[in-house]
Structures are given as C-alpha cells and as structure tokens.
C-alpha cells in the first residue's frame, strides 16, 4: 500500500483500519483526501489478504467535520459538479466493497463526514459523536450522496428534517432513528467496530460478498427482479467449497474453516 498524505492504513489479521487524518482541520475532506479515500478502498477491494475494513477519523473530536469549506468556497458551477462527482465516486467505491466496511464514528460526522459514514455498510458511534448535514446553512445541499442514502437509511421524514434544518443530532438520537447500529463509550469504540468486523469476517467470505451484492442490487431493483437476483446468487453459492464446509461443520459440530472458494 503506497503512502498517503491524509489517510493512514494499517492491516492486521485480515482487517484493514483506515483513518482519515487531517487533525488540525477536524479531518475535513479536501479534494486530495477524497481522492485518497477512493484510491485506498479500490486497493483494499483488490487485496485478497484483506477481508474487512474499519473506517475512522484521527483524534477524539471528529470523525470527519465535512467537506473542506475553504476549498468549497472557491468552486464555480462546473467545478461544483466535478467536486460532487469525485466524492460520490470515491464513496460509491466504499459502498461497492464486497468485504464488510464498518464506520467507527468517533466524534463530529458532519456534511461529507456523515455522507462518508453513510457509504459504509455498518456504523458504530462513540457517545460523543454528533451527526448532521449542515450544508443548507452554507447555501448548498449535500453533494456526496447524502440526499440519496440518508432517506433510504432512516426514512424520508427524518432525513428531510436533518437535511432541511441542518441541525446536529447526538449519538443516542442517531441510534434511535437507525442511523447507527450501536453506541459505545469512546474508549471502547475501535474494539467494538473491530469486533463487529471480525464477527462478519468469521463467516463465509463469498457468502458475505454475495449478501452485500444482493442487498445493494435489491435496494434499487423491483421486488421481482431483486428476488430473482437473490435466487441466482443463492444457487451460485451452492457451487462453493465454503457452502459444503459450512454445512459439514454444522453437522459435525465443529467450527467451519472457510477458504473463500
Ligand atoms: N472545512 C474546513 N475547515 C474546517 C471544517 C470544514 N468542514 N471543519 C472544521 N474546520 C477547521 C476550522 O476552520 C478550524 O481551523 P483553524 O484552527 O485553522 O481555524 C479547525 O478545523 C477546528 O475547528 P473549530 O471550528 O475551531 O472547532 P470547534 O470545536 O469550534 O467547532 C465544529 C467544531 C465541527 C462545530 C465546527 O468546526 C464546524 O461547524 N465545522 C464545519 C461543519 C460543516 O459545516 N461541515 C459541512 C461542510 S459542507
């Protein structure tokens, strides 16, 4: 993995921990950071030694405090579209990962920071985390997928309340509306996110990848199409050694030894 300026990547026991790191700016996303996030996740997807990812922010105050407002203040209409597309593409690379990606939200997740967390498959928050899409306070709208993913996750009414008021909500409220999967004390956050990733990584990797594929496709497709797609993946999994191993292990009352084949 090459050296990045604003992203730190560590790998241990099949798990990659990706940390957005611009601590003096509360990890705000300038264009280079967005670019690096996309590059890192595309590389992790190709890396067979990686089976899961935890994404977090440097420091104890912020996950990511949004897109870099100093940079954004200089955009025009054409660059505005390009900036938005660049972020959407990088974040879509996360959503399209066929390995679980868990966001460990360790503080402010605002604007592009919340949108980054939304692109992850699962989210764990520390008790001090705060979530918001404050773009309308700046005269813009969320441009990295927030208007698309937030309503799909928490429902249109709650999403519109956050998008239209720009107000922040605390971690317990984020949990109540289903924006995060769990809330833990800050010192326990990385262990909780890592533990969740490892729990998933202990399952059949091809099954996990296809479950992600089925849910991603099914969410946007008609019920009929989604059901057929699910059946096809279900059938495809019956060709894997992992399926035989998983079922043999159950019948023989032993833990499975999945090989990803
Ligand atoms: N873009 C650029 N710089 C940012 C930033 C952002 N989104 N968020 C924080 N920073 C910078 C601040 O300008 C400050 O830099 P400085 O020390 O060089 O002046 C530094 O990070 C620390 O932030 P500060 O505002 O002093 O911390 P705070 O504790 O008073 O407030 C926040 C924290 C998160 C409430 C506040 O920084 C904030 O509202 N940030 C913008 C959030 C936002 O609107 N994001 C959406 C952007 S589309």
């Amino acid at each position: 993995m090459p050296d990045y300026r604003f992203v730190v990547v560590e790998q241990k026991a099949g798990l990659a921990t990706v940390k957005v790191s611009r601590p003096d700016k509360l990890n705000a996303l300038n264009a280079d950071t967005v670019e690096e996030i996309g590059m890192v996740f595309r590389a992790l997807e190709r890396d067979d030694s990686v089976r899961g990812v935890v994404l977090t922010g440097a420091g104890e105050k912020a996950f990511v405090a949004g897109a870099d407002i100093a940079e954004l203040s200089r955009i025009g209409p054409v660059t505005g579209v390009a900036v938005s597309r660049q972020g959407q593409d990088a974040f879509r690379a996360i959503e399209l990962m066929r390995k679980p990606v868990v966001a460990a939200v360790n503080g402010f997740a605002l604007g592009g920071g919340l949108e980054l967390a939304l692109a992850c498959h699962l989210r764990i928050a520390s008790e001090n985390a705060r979530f918001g899409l404050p773009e309308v306070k700046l005269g813009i709208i969320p441009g990295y997928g927030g208007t698309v993913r937030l309503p799909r996750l928490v429902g249109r009414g709650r999403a519109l309340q956050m998008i239209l008021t720009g107000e922040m909500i605390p971690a317990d409220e984020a949990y109540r509306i289903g924006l995060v999967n769990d809330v833990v004390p800050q010192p326990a956050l990385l262990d909780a996110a890592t533990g969740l990733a490892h729990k998933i990584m202990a399952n059949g990797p091809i099954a996990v990848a296809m479950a992600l594929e089925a849910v991603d496709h099914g969410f946007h497709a008609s019920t009929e199409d989604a059901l057929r797609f699910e059946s096809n993946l279900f059938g495809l999994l019956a060709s894997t050694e992992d399926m035989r191993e998983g079922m043999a292990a159950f019948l023989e009352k032993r833990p499975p030894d999945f090989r990803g084949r």
Side-chain angles (χ1 to χ4, degrees):
M1 181 91 29
D3 277 341
Y4 296 100
R5 252 181 94 198
F6 300 116
V7 180
V8 180
V9 185
E10 284 171 11
Q11 282 176 233
K12 193 177 159 195
L15 180 76
T17 302
V18 178
K19 189 182 284 184
V20 180
S21 185
R22 266 188 98 203
D24 54 327
K25 297 290 177 193
L26 301 183
N27 307 324
L29 301 173
N30 58 7
D32 289 346
T33 308
V34 171
E35 188 69 26
E36 287 187 7
I37 289 171
M39 286 164 68
V40 164
F41 276 91
R42 288 184 194 101
L44 293 174
E45 175 72 336
R46 288 190 302 266
D47 185 341
D48 288 339
S49 69
V50 172
R51 288 176 292 113
V53 185
V54 166
L55 172 64
T56 193
E60 297 195 339
K61 189 167 167 186
F63 174 67
V64 166
D68 188 313
I69 298 171
E71 263 190 18
L72 277 188
S73 67
R74 296 190 287 269
I75 60 169
V78 176
T79 46
V81 173
V83 162
S84 170
R85 289 299 307 177
Q86 184 208 21
Q88 290 178 353
D89 290 349
F91 292 8
R92 183 75 176 135
I94 299 175
E95 192 172 52
L96 283 175
M97 288 278 289
R98 292 302 171 246
K99 311 164 184 192
V101 183
V102 180
V105 182
N106 54 310
F108 290 111
L110 302 177
L114 175 50
E115 293 172 296
L116 179 61
L118 287 169
C120 298
H121 303 132
L122 299 164
R123 285 151 291 280
I124 310 281
S126 58
E127 286 166 347
N128 67 320
R130 290 171 74 77
F131 299 82
L133 290 175
E135 282 86 348
V136 288
K137 291 180 186 285
L138 300 166
I140 54 173
I141 63 168
Y144 293 168
T147 66
V148 178
R149 294 194 179 98
L150 188 62
R152 289 178 183 178
L153 187 63
V154 303
R156 190 178 153 116
R158 286 177 172 130
L160 275 174
Q161 186 171 349
M162 290 181 72
I163 292 167
L164 297 179
T165 65
E167 297 287 306
M168 290 186 223
I169 60 169
D172 56 352
E173 173 72 357
Y175 178 72
R176 196 182 69 78
I177 67 174
L179 175 49
V180 298
N181 298 82
D182 204 358
V183 181
V184 299
Q186 178 140 45
L189 178 65
L190 270 187
D191 279 351
T194 303
L196 179 58
H198 276 299
K199 202 178 276 186
I200 299 167
M201 287 155 61
N203 297 325
I206 306 177
V208 167
M210 291 200 180
L212 286 167
E213 183 87 22
V215 171
D216 192 60
H217 177 79
F219 218 90
H220 312 286
S222 69
T223 303
E224 204 52 45
D225 179 23
L227 289 171
R228 278 163 201 269
F229 192 73
E230 181 189 72
S231 300
N232 289 339
L233 293 185
F234 188 83
L236 195 56
L237 281 163
S239 70
T240 63
E241 285 176 26
D242 280 357
M243 185 199 96
R244 317 248 164 257
E245 169 61 14
M247 294 191 184
F250 175 81
L251 295 173
E252 292 161 20
K253 302 189 189 305
R254 62 172 173 81
D257 177 19
F258 291 120
R259 301 289 172 89
R261 291 198 290 252

